[in-house]
C-alpha cells in the first residue's frame, strides 16, 4: 500500500506490489481508503467510484478467461452482484484488486462448471475492441497496424481457448492480469509450485498451438 | 522481457508470452456497462437477484391437459403420480446403495495381494473381482493401482505399499470412509460427489481427515508425511492434535520426534503433479 503526502493511504497504485510480469490489464485509477470506507456504508458516489475502478479490469479478465464477451457479460454481472453483497466487509486498508480478481476467477470457474461444454462459440470476436475502433477514427493508430494487432490478438485468444481451463486461468492471471505466482496460488487454491508448473505447461502448449496456427 | 522465475523458456514460449502480454483490454458494450453501473450504484442488482430467485418457476397442476374429459384426466394424473413415485423409488434405491471399490487403472508388471491372495497385474479381471471394501492390499515393487468409489473419491497406491481400502461408502453405510496405510505411498483425489463426506486415513503415526482435496500420504519406518496439493486436510498424531494443512504444505510426523509443518517435498510433489495430470479431466 502506498501512502499519499497527506498521510492518507491510497489503494491501487502498483508500487511495491507490482508483479515482474505485470500484464496489459491495468487500472489507470486508484481508489482511496476514504472511498472504500464510504463504500462500506453503501454511499452511491463511492459505489460509482468502485465500479469505475473495477469494471474494465473485471470485464477484460472475464472475457479473456471465458473467451466470449457476450457470455462474459453474465459472469461480470455475477461478479458485481457478489461485490455488492460483500461491500459491508470490504477491507479499506487493502488493495481491492486481488479480491476483485479472486471473485472474477471464481465466477468464471462457476461458469465453466455449469457449462462443462467448454468455451462457447466465438460468434463475436473479443478483439472487436471499441478502443481500437476509436483510435482508428481519431487517426491515433495507423489503420494497417491496428488491423494487424487485432488479427494477432484474435489468434492468441483462439489459442488460449484451446488450453484446458486450469492452464488458461494461470497463464492469464500471470501475464494478462499481472499476478504473482503466490497470489495465483491463493486465488486458484493450489500450491505455488503447482502454479509454476501449470504456467510452464501453459506456455509450452500455447507456443505449440500458435506455431501450428501460423503454418 | 526476462523472467527470473522462468529463465529457461524456449523461443516459442517466450514469443507466446510476449503476445499474451501484448493483448489489449477487452472493451464492453457501452449499454451493458451503463446498465450494470446503474444497477450496482442503486443497489438494484441485489434486489433484482433476490426477486429473481423468489420468482423461480414452481411446478403447478396447470400443466395437466384441461381439454380432456374428467376420467381421462384423472387416469393421466394417476399414471403420472405412479411414474413419478417409481422414479423416486429408483433414485432412492440407487442413492442408498453403497459404493464399492472399482478398479480404474493398473500399471507395472508386478503383483498385488488382495486379502492375502496374490494376483499378477496382467490379471485385471480377477483383481477387479477381488477388490472389496475393507480389503487389505500389498503391492509389489513394480505395481501401481488406482481405485475409485463412484465419482466420490479416487485412491492411487504406489509400489511397495501396504494398505487397507475404505469400506463400502455412502447409502446406509454413511459418508464417512475410513482407510489405512501402513507403509508406502497413497494419493487421494476427491470428486464431484464428495459433498458432505469425509475420509479418515490412519497411518502408524497419526490420522488424516480429508474433506475435499488432493493429497499424498507417505509412510516408512521413519514416520508419516502428508503433502497437500489442493484444498486443505486435517492432520495430526491423534484427534486432539489435528491441524489444518493448506495447499503447498506438508505435515511430517516422525516416529520419534515432534511433528512439524514444512513445504511439500519435491519427490511427492512430482508424484502429485503426475497424478493431477492423469485425472485432470475427472475419474
Amino acid at each position: 500500500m502506498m501512502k499519499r503526502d497527506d498521510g492518507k493511504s491510497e489503494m491501487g497504485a502498483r508500487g511495491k506490489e507490482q508483479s515482474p510480469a505485470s500484464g496489459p490489464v491495468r487500472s489507470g485509477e486508484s481508489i482511496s481508503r476514504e472511498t472504500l470506507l464510504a463504500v462500506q456504508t453503501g454511499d452511491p458516489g463511492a459505489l460509482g467510484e468502485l465500479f469505475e475502478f473495477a469494471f474494465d479490469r473485471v470485464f477484460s479478465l472475464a472475457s479473456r478467461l471465458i473467451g466470449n464477451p457476450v457470455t462474459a457479460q453474465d459472469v461480470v454481472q455475477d461478479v458485481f452482484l457478489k461485490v455488492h453483497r460483500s461491500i459491508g466487509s470490504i477491507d479499506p486498508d487493502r488493495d481491492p484488486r486481488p479480491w476483485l480478481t479472486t471473485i472474477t476467477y471464481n465466477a468464471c470457474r462457476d461458469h465453466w462448471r455449469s457449462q462443462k461444454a467448454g468455451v462457447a462459440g466465438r460468434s463475436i470476436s473479443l478483439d472487436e475492441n471499441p478502443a481500437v475502433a476509436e483510435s482508428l477514427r481519431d487517426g491515433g493508430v495507423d489503420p494497417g497496424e491496428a488491423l494487424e494487432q487485432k488479427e494477432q490478438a484474435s489468434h492468441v485468444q483462439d489459442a488460449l481457448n484451446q488450453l484446458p481451463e486450469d492452464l488458461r486461468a494461470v497463464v492469464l492471471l500471470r501475464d494478462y492480469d499481472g499476478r504473482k505466482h503466490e497470489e495465483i496460488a491463493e486465488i486458484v487454491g493450489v500450491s505455488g509450485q503447482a502454479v509454476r508448473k501449470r504456467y510452464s505447461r501453459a506456455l509450452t502448449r500455447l507456443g505449440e498451438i500458435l506455431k501450428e496456427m501460423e503454418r | 522481457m526476462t523472467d527470473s522465475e522462468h529463465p529457461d523458456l524456449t523461443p516459442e514460449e517466450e514469443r507466446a508470452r510476449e503476445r499474451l502480454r501484448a493483448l489489449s483490454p477487452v472493451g464492453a458494450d457501452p449499454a451493458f456497462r451503463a446498465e450494470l453501473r446503474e444497477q450496482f450504484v442503486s443497489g438494484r442488482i441485489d434486489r433484482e437477484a433476490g426477486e429473481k430467485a423468489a420468482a423461480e418457476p414452481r411446478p403447478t397442476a396447470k400443466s395437466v391437459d384441461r381439454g380432456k374429459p374428467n376420467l381421462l384426466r384423472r387416469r393421466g394424473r394417476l399414471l403420472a403420480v405412479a411414474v413419478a413415485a417409481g422414479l423416486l423409488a429408483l433414485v432412492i434405491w440407487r442413492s442408498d446403495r453403497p459404493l464399492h471399490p472399482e478398479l480404474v487403472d493398473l500399471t507395472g508388471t508386478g503383483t498385488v495381494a488382495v486379502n492375502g491372495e496374490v494376483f499378477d497385474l496382467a490379471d485385471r479381471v480377477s483383481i477387479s473381482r477381488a477388490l472389496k471394501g475393507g480389503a487389505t492390499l500389498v503391492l509389489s515393487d513394480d505395481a501401481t493401482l488406482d481405485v475409485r468409489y463412484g465419482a466420490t473419491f479416487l485412491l492411487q497406491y504406489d509400489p511397495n505399499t501396504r494398505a487397507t481400502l475404505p469400506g463400502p461408502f455412502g447409502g446406509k453405510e454413511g459418508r464417512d470412509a475410513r482407510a489405512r496405510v501402513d507403509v508406502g505411498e497413497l494419493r487421494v483425489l476427491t470428486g464431484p460427489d464428495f459433498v458432505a463426506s469425509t475420509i479418515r486415513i490412519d497411518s502408524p503415526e497419526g490420522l488424516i481427515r480429508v474433506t475435499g482435496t488432493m493429497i499424498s500420504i507417505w509412510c516408512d519406518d521413519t514416520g508419516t508425511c502428508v503433502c497437500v496439493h489442493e484444498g486443505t486436510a486435517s492432520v495430526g498424531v491423534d484427534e486432539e492434535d489435528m491441524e489444518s494443512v493448506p495447499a503447498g504444505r506438508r505435515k511430517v510426523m516422525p516416529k520419534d520426534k515432534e511433528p512439524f509443518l514444512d513445504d511439500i517435498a519435491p519427490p511427492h510433489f512430482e508424484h502429485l503433479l503426475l497424478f493431477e495430470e492423469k485425472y485432470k479431466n475427472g475419474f
Side-chain angles (χ1 to χ4, degrees):
Chain A
M1 190 198 311
M2 298 182 78
K3 290 275 181 190
R4 294 198 313 212
D5 289 345
D6 57 5
K8 291 170 183 167
S9 58
E10 192 174 13
M11 312 296 145
R14 280 188 178 265
K16 220 168 88 179
E17 296 189 345
Q18 185 171 3
S19 156
S22 54
V25 176
R26 294 183 190 94
S27 180
E29 309 246 343
S30 54
I31 192 158
S32 69
R33 183 175 190 276
E34 287 65 36
T35 304
L36 292 176
L37 282 169
V39 163
Q40 284 183 335
T41 65
D43 175 72
L47 284 170
E49 256 190 72
L50 178 62
F51 184 88
E52 294 303 331
F53 173 77
F55 181 83
D56 289 343
R57 160 177 300 274
V58 167
F59 188 83
S60 264
L61 181 60
S63 300
R64 293 287 176 202
L65 283 167
I66 299 291
N68 182 318
V70 175
T71 312
Q73 287 186 355
D74 290 338
V75 173
V76 171
Q77 195 155 17
D78 193 32
V79 171
F80 279 95
L81 173 64
K82 284 174 180 154
V83 169
H84 200 278
R85 285 180 175 171
S86 315
I87 53 174
S89 57
I90 199 165
D91 183 350
D93 292 319
R94 291 180 75 170
D95 179 353
R97 281 178 300 196
W99 175 63
L100 289 166
T101 300
T102 304
I103 297 179
T104 308
Y105 169 75
N106 287 340
C108 291
R109 196 188 50 194
D110 290 347
H111 169 79
W112 289 326
R113 282 179 182 164
S114 68
Q115 294 297 300
K116 273 289 168 205
V119 175
R122 297 187 65 257
S123 55
I124 294 175
S125 166
L126 274 179
D127 299 294
E128 291 291 346
N129 189 337
V132 174
E134 204 173 299
S135 62
L136 273 173
R137 275 198 302 278
D138 295 349
V141 177
D142 171 56
E145 201 182 307
L147 200 67
E148 197 184 312
Q149 276 178 7
K150 204 177 84 176
E151 209 165 281
Q152 281 210 1
S154 179
H155 265 115
V156 178
Q157 186 64 49
D158 283 347
L160 279 168
N161 291 355
Q162 291 181 47
L163 290 181
E165 286 137 7
D166 57 344
L167 299 189
R168 193 187 322 148
V170 167
V171 85
L172 276 170
L173 289 171
R174 171 87 176 160
D175 285 329
Y176 190 66
D177 199 49
R179 298 281 130 223
K180 295 176 193 165
H181 285 323
E182 298 311 324
E183 288 177 308
I184 299 170
E186 243 177 73
I187 292 168
V188 175
V190 298
S191 66
Q193 281 172 298
V195 168
R196 280 182 189 85
K197 198 82 183 175
R198 283 186 191 180
Y199 177 73
S200 289
R201 285 208 322 252
L203 274 190
T204 306
R205 188 77 196 99
L206 205 57
E208 288 166 0
I209 297 169
L210 285 167
K211 198 174 168 189
E212 191 64 34
M213 285 166 90
E214 281 157 12
R215 269 186 194 157
Chain B
M1 195 186 292
T2 56
D3 185 340
S4 57
E5 287 198 79
H6 299 276
D8 302 323
L9 295 182
T10 65
E12 269 135 32
E13 289 164 354
E14 184 89 41
R15 212 167 133 250
R17 190 174 62 178
E18 290 313 313
R19 290 181 68 178
L20 201 58
R21 289 178 178 178
L23 279 176
S24 56
V26 182
D29 175 359
F32 166 72
R33 190 186 203 283
E35 168 67 12
L36 186 61
R37 189 185 196 284
E38 195 281 316
Q39 285 185 4
F40 183 73
V41 171
S42 67
R44 197 154 59 82
I45 193 168
D46 206 357
R47 287 196 300 276
E48 284 187 1
E51 283 163 15
K52 210 185 249 180
E56 284 288 299
R58 292 180 192 142
T60 64
K62 283 182 181 170
S63 57
V64 177
D65 184 357
R66 296 197 179 276
K68 286 179 182 170
N70 268 348
L71 186 63
L72 276 180
R73 218 161 60 208
R74 203 173 300 143
R75 276 187 188 164
R77 275 185 198 160
L78 282 172
L79 187 65
V81 168
V83 169
L87 284 173
L88 187 65
L90 186 70
V91 167
I92 290 169
W93 177 69
R94 281 187 69 85
S95 62
D96 202 39
R97 280 167 60 198
L99 296 165
H100 294 271
E102 185 187 345
L103 183 63
V104 177
D105 196 19
L106 287 166
T107 50
T109 54
T111 60
V112 56
V114 184
N115 285 334
E117 192 179 351
V118 181
F119 300 95
D120 194 289
L121 279 204
D123 190 2
R124 195 185 167 101
V125 176
S126 302
I127 295 171
S128 228
R129 268 195 214 123
L131 288 176
K132 304 273 186 250
T136 57
L137 300 178
V138 181
L139 281 85
S140 73
D141 60 4
D142 184 19
T144 304
L145 182 142
D146 299 5
V147 203
R148 74 175 167 210
Y149 285 66
T152 309
F153 58 88
L154 180 134
L155 306 164
Q156 184 176 64
Y157 294 90
D158 266 7
N160 294 317
T161 294
R162 193 171 70 241
T164 308
L165 284 172
F169 177 84
K172 62 181 188 311
E173 301 290 342
R175 299 189 70 82
D176 300 314
R178 194 159 177 176
R180 181 170 179 84
V181 56
D182 295 300
V183 68
E185 189 162 351
L186 158 68
R187 280 171 290 280
V188 184
L189 171 64
T190 56
D193 292 351
F194 195 73
V195 188
S197 308
T198 60
I199 311 173
R200 173 185 162 142
I201 299 164
D202 291 277
S203 84
E205 285 76 34
L207 61 105
I208 301 100
R209 190 163 286 118
V210 177
T211 49
T213 185
M214 189 191 300
I215 65 167
S216 73
I217 300 152
W218 174 83
C219 305
D220 73 357
D221 53 9
T222 64
T224 297
C225 168
V226 182
C227 296
V228 180
H229 186 54
E230 268 191 28
T232 53
S234 273
V235 185
V237 292
D238 54 37
E239 288 284 2
E240 276 67 50
D241 175 57
M242 298 305 272
E243 102 183 275
S244 184
V245 182
R249 304 279 287 168
R250 64 175 168 148
K251 182 158 181 173
V252 185
M253 296 179 284
K255 265 198 191 338
D256 46 10
K257 285 184 202 153
E258 282 297 299
F260 60 92
L261 280 173
D262 198 357
D263 287 337
I264 288 190
H268 307 307
F269 176 63
E270 293 302 323
H271 295 164
L272 280 161
L273 283 177
L274 292 171
F275 183 51
E276 179 187 37
E277 180 70 19
K278 184 171 180 180
Y279 292 108
K280 66 182 177 190
N281 295 321
F283 56 83

